[in-house]
Amino acid sequence: MRKLISIFIVLLILAGCNAENEELSYSKVEVDSTNKLVQDFITSVEDENGIHLFQLDDNTMYVFLNGYIVEQGSDASFFSKFVVKGKDDTLNIYFDEEYTDDYANKILNNKELYKINLDKTYQFVRPFKNDIETNFSAIYASGK
């Protein structure tokens, strides 16, 4: 019995250590690899250029950068950088948007989806386009 209690205590300590070691991370993901809620979100905003935020749950959010819609005579936009940094109670999202008149270039990243794994709860989320603070085009939450 004493050995069982010791094992239980060690497991409890290890579980506590793992919870404290959560790190803020992000990665580019394909829409097809996400669940239906995220796919429905993308479908609802894909006709509007901009930065779109989707809070899936307390630990996960998605950012959809869309520059796919190009007005005739305008340059096409694409995205070249994406970085997420947490500071105190604020999550900062940085991305670079660039422009080109090469509409046929299939390599341009004009639609990107990023998954952010949160390390804690943030009170504020601030987007920065080309290092200048901007606004989200849309903000959604899953309601879970």
Side-chain angles (χ1 to χ4, degrees), residues 22-38:
E22 293 287 325
E23 288 188 26
L24 177 63
S25 64
Y26 58 94
S27 60
K28 186 175 176 180
V29 295
E30 296 298 322
V31 174
D32 295 343
S33 70
T34 62
N35 68 31
K36 183 170 176 11
L37 287 172
V38 177

Side-chain angles (χ1 to χ4, degrees), residues 72-131:
Q72 189 171 4
S74 298
D75 287 344
S77 69
F78 64 98
F79 306 99
S80 59
K81 174 184 101 172
F82 186 87
V83 177
V84 176
K85 295 180 182 178
K87 183 176 180 185
D88 300 325
D89 63 350
T90 303
L91 182 68
N92 295 315
I93 300 171
Y94 300 91
F95 66 98
D96 284 348
E97 183 175 21
E98 300 181 44
Y99 299 90
T100 183
D101 59 2
D102 183 7
Y103 306 115
N105 189 341
K106 302 288 185 200
I107 299 174
L108 295 180
N109 299 322
N110 55 16
K111 273 185 168 182
E112 294 191 343
L113 179 63
Y114 290 90
K115 179 181 181 183
I116 302 172
N117 296 308
L118 301 171
D119 57 341
K120 63 181 185 176
T121 300
Y122 290 94
Q123 187 171 358
F124 306 102
V125 180
R126 297 172 46 201
F128 293 85
K129 178 171 85 173
N130 301 334
D131 293 322

